[in-house]
Amino acid sequence: MTYIAGFLVPVPVAKRDAYVDMARKSWEIFRDYGAIEIMEAWGDVVPEGKQTDFRRAVDLEEGEAVVFSWVIWPDEETYKACEASMETDPRWQEMGADMPFDGKRMVWGSFAPVFHERA
């Protein structure tokens, strides 16, 4: 069964291209560790909710957009091996030095699928 890592990221609109470049570099590393798919989606319609919403989740500031992304892994073990590599693989450190967003406001988690269909 697959395993999913999901992210919400506040990205300055002016740094969209830098974010996409970073996402492409991340994909190369994720793929090296066994990821099978990535999706990076730039916020288009992200309404304000009454109690909570994507904007509040990342403390969105003026001039920023919410990015919703996920990485699909073949299983939890493969994901955890990649997660552990973030402390030891120098490629992660190189990328982290120049992130085009405020990583403190990123929301992330890993998820075990319970239902999946595709047309």
Side-chain angles (χ1 to χ4, degrees), residues 98-119:
D98 195 27
M99 288 194 314
F101 63 91
D102 181 356
K104 293 179 186 113
R105 292 186 290 134
M106 177 174 75
V107 178
W108 67 273
S110 53
F111 304 84
V114 294
F115 178 80
H116 178 240
E117 285 292 332
R118 179 175 281 169

Side-chain angles (χ1 to χ4, degrees), residues 27-117:
W27 168 240
E28 292 173 11
I29 303 170
F30 287 142
R31 187 182 57 219
D32 285 351
Y33 281 97
I36 56 179
E37 183 178 322
I38 191 171
M39 174 64 73
E40 297 282 349
W42 193 263
D44 184 28
V45 178
V46 185
E48 291 185 29
K50 292 187 192 283
Q51 292 185 357
T52 191
D53 55 43
F54 285 116
R55 295 166 174 271
R56 288 186 196 134
V58 298
D59 193 22
L60 195 69
E61 297 176 359
E62 185 71 30
E64 293 180 331
V66 177
V67 175
F68 177 43
S69 62
W70 61 89
V71 179
I72 300 179
W73 300 89
D75 51 51
E76 183 179 4
E77 294 75 27
T78 304
Y79 164 74
K80 286 188 174 185
C82 182
E83 183 180 42
S85 81
M86 292 181 180
E87 298 294 323
T88 59
D89 191 319
R91 296 177 294 176
W92 292 119
Q93 281 73 44
E94 291 168 16
M95 229 181 336
D98 195 27
M99 288 194 314
F101 63 91
D102 181 356
K104 293 179 186 113
R105 292 186 290 134
M106 177 174 75
V107 178
W108 67 273
S110 53
F111 304 84
V114 294
F115 178 80
H116 178 240
E117 285 292 332

